[in-house]
Amino acid sequence: MTQSDLFTILPILVLIVWACVLLLVDLFIPKGSKKWTALLAAVGLAGALGLNLAQAGQQLSAFGGMVVLDGFSSFMTSLFLASGLLAVALAYGYLKRMGLERGEYYVILMFSLSGMMLMAQATDLFVVFLALELLSIPLYVLAAFARSRSDSEEAGLKYFLLGAFATGFVVYGISLVFGATGHTSLAGIVSVIQTPETFSGTFNPLLLTIGAALILVGFSFKVAAVPFHMWTPDVYQGAPTPVTGFMAVGAKAAGFAALLRIFVAALPSLSADLVPVLWGLAALTMLVGNLVAISQTNIKRLLAYSSIAHAGYILMAFVNFGNPKVGPDAVASALFYLLTYAITSFGAWAVVIGLEKQDGKGLEISDFAGLGRKRPLMAAAMTIFMLSLTGMPPTLGLVGKFYLFRTVVEGGYIWLAVIGVLTSLISAYYYLRVVVTMYMHTGEPETKREFWLDLTWELAALATVVLSFVPAALFAWASGAVLTIF
Amino acid sequence: MTNPLILVTFFPLLGVLALLFVRSDRKTLMRWISLLVSLVTFGLSIWMLTLFDKANPELQLGFNLPWIQVANWNISFIMGVDGLSILLVLLTTFLTPISILSTWTAVEERVKEFMIFFLLLEVGMLGVFLAQDLFLFYIFWEFTLVPMYFLIGIWGGPRRIYAAIKFFLYTMAGSILMLLAILWLGINQGTFSVPDLIKNGGIPGNIQLWLFLAFAAAFAIKVPMWPLHSWLPDAHVEAPTAGSVILAGVLLKMGTYGFLRFNLPLFPDAVKQAAPWMALLAVIGILYGAAVSYAQKDIKKLVAYSSVSHLGFVMLGLFALNAQGVEGAILQMINHGLSTGALFLLVGMVYEQTHTREFSVYGGLWKIMPVYGTVMLIVALSSMGLPGLNGFIGEFAILLGAFGSKAIGSPWFAGLAAAGVILAAVYILYMFQKMFLGPEGSIVEDVKKHGHALRDLNLREIVTVLPLLVFIFWIGLYPKPFFDLIAPAVEKLLIAFH
């Protein structure tokens, strides 16, 4: 282990050490003043984010090529840490109000984040597996964090069982890939594919394809792609809302980080076999996510299906993964879309938390009636989020969709793009229903005014609108994060 | 930032900003702010007109700022105005203050939001007419949906939510297909700039047809062309008066303008192929709209369906692809904005007093409201195309163009469309007779029972409609200045079709 090795994973290191220390410090923080834990966690996350930004532009490989630091990992790590900060902001008042205030929330969150960050840096399938477990297990705990509530317990258990199932797929896939190529490192896999004679055993392309497909299935669970999405609505509904917001953004982004890295960097040769599958997966996910969302009456379930649908949109970027001309652009568009989704979705979850009451009350869409009069700004922000999720101007959502669809059209998958835009039209219907309820129905919603919560949706709404006019810097950042192909 | 186009387009935002800081119970102040801001915007557009060189067929007063220029994105902030769009810009800035004036007593609820949405809508519409980059255009185009959706959905009639969502989804359905076509153009031609795209040309014929259809989907729904019109009556009937005026006056023109600005010059081969079919749909729209108008029991619905008929004329003129037809179509866009805008205003004025739009309860209003009756008569005659008033000029030019059009290929389309002119007289005069002639309708008594009699137009209402009347006569009697503005740009546009 050299200095350079440690430097490569410095933000993760800092975060884990900080989390361990915080676990101890939390013992000495009296029960009523857990805000100090939150503050310390936020400081740790901000510090890691600062380190990560300071490392930007570096290209390093460490631990014998098992992890790397590159534009891609630096982009994803920033996204993870920012969503971690937002998850702290959302939880700050919420946990207290719901009687869940325990310092462990913040610590577990940080452990899960370190898994995500490792995922973005992993270039070896073993490390991918390690990162997957490191990010998932704390999330199972977080989902069940409101343990006195049965639906939260159900969410935790369901997420755990299906998560373990999905991990099984990933591990089995990894073992098949290893069997086919004799390597777990992405670079090694590529070298065997390109020059099979260097492999001491017999290179088995079929085994490799099956292994890759199993890895795809495993991560499809994580990103909630149809037909592996069944757990999503229940888990999203049952988990404490800040955790839901974190899962919708962080866990999904981590899943996509792994998929992008593995498929774009190591397996572009399989694209002929896998593209039809990915095409179908994307189309199905967009269709089912959007169609089923129409009939939801609970806002958390609605946003859960919306997150499924958005996984479908991001999956569209994958059909180009083996195309050397469009591929880099496709990756950049997926990253950009993840970013826009993260901002918008956290904003929407913040508004939902602002209306949530004890025992899961206040979460029906009808509970939003009259918000336009009672809290004009909050309703305006929610409208912006809904428009952004639909892909209407002047919001980031439109820019993200524009970017994403552009790569799909450029790759020649015009019918997938048609499905994409038509399902966006469907989605307008249910997103607008939230807007209709806020402005055109009368009601007396009870809302909370909490500084950090309000700041979250205020900033998210502002960013969603303002960044849509000046997206060039974000574009440049995302396209700078293109993966190096081995 | 002294470019007149930037100033015109974004000046209403100043009003939005000011309104945000007004206390929500100071309704009159808000109305004055909005009126003033929209009047200044109108003034700025007049300034733009004085700078405009009408002999020049090119885009003018334009500017071109790089906007998103990373990673082979080639998006610029391009605006410009030419003969195709200048009248529509003026129409927009002209109708907005009039509409705001018409809401003075009609909108009492949530005035602040109303005015904010109205001014935002103006920004969107002006942007649509001035944007010369496809991405920029698409942003403005989609953006107009949002404020209009709220205007219908919050301040509309009893079925407003249904109408608002229908309006939104219908329009979005077309525009997302256009989005794909825009993306295709951007990728394969390497630019989103409309002038560059036209200059480069070279889109293969079979693909032209697909792109034409994708753009046409967005525009035909907006126009609306038969059979895609079914959102229009709902939206019109439920929208508040000012919303209807803008919807009929400007938003529908965004569709016809789209054909003119994008479909015609970008896909000339496909346009030639499609012209007879578009003409057929236009003629069906003319006759169908007229027939259905006649069958209506609701005044606003009648006017709404008459729009389907009138916009059919515009489409017929556009796809005649000759100078008379296209110039007539552009002028007819303006005429329809003036006449139908005025009709909706007038209907709104009596509705404010009676709260009903059923024909059956009206009758004999002329005696009680002579000024109102006179104004309505002029507007109705203009709408049905009486010589001497504006409607005649536009329709005559369109029919002339359509008769001699090589692109349409048969004078029968024009012949049938001419029948539409007669049908227009039937339904418009029918409406006028039902409302103003004959014995007094039951509504007169009903209103009296509530303690006040029907009154004639007051000063504010007269001020609201008077500017419209001026232009109705002006265009009808001396249309030359208007044609002078249009003609050079149309000449240039049609070179591809000679």
Side-chain angles (χ1 to χ4, degrees), chain B residues 113-134:
Chain B
E113 285 101 322
F114 185 93
M115 294 301 175
I116 288 178
F117 284 129
F118 217 85
L119 292 175
L120 284 178
L121 183 61
E122 187 178 15
V123 174
M125 295 183 300
L126 290 169
V128 165
F129 293 132
L130 292 173
Q132 302 295 339
D133 177 279
L134 283 173

Side-chain angles (χ1 to χ4, degrees), chain A residues 22-94:
Chain A
L22 193 58
L23 198 58
L24 292 175
V25 171
D26 183 55
L27 292 174
F28 300 100
I29 294 176
K31 215 167 171 27
S33 34
K34 292 296 180 195
K35 62 179 177 189
W36 293 107
T37 318
L39 184 73
L40 287 171
V43 169
L45 290 169
L49 182 59
L51 277 177
N52 173 57
L53 291 177
Q55 284 179 326
Q58 308 242 24
Q59 291 276 356
L60 288 172
S61 176
F63 295 103
M66 291 176 97
V67 294
V68 291
L69 171 69
D70 56 8
F72 180 77
S73 78
S74 139
F75 183 95
M76 292 307 288
T77 302
S78 306
L79 181 65
F80 294 139
L81 286 170
S83 62
L85 277 170
L86 289 171
V88 172
L90 295 192
Y92 181 73
Y94 178 89

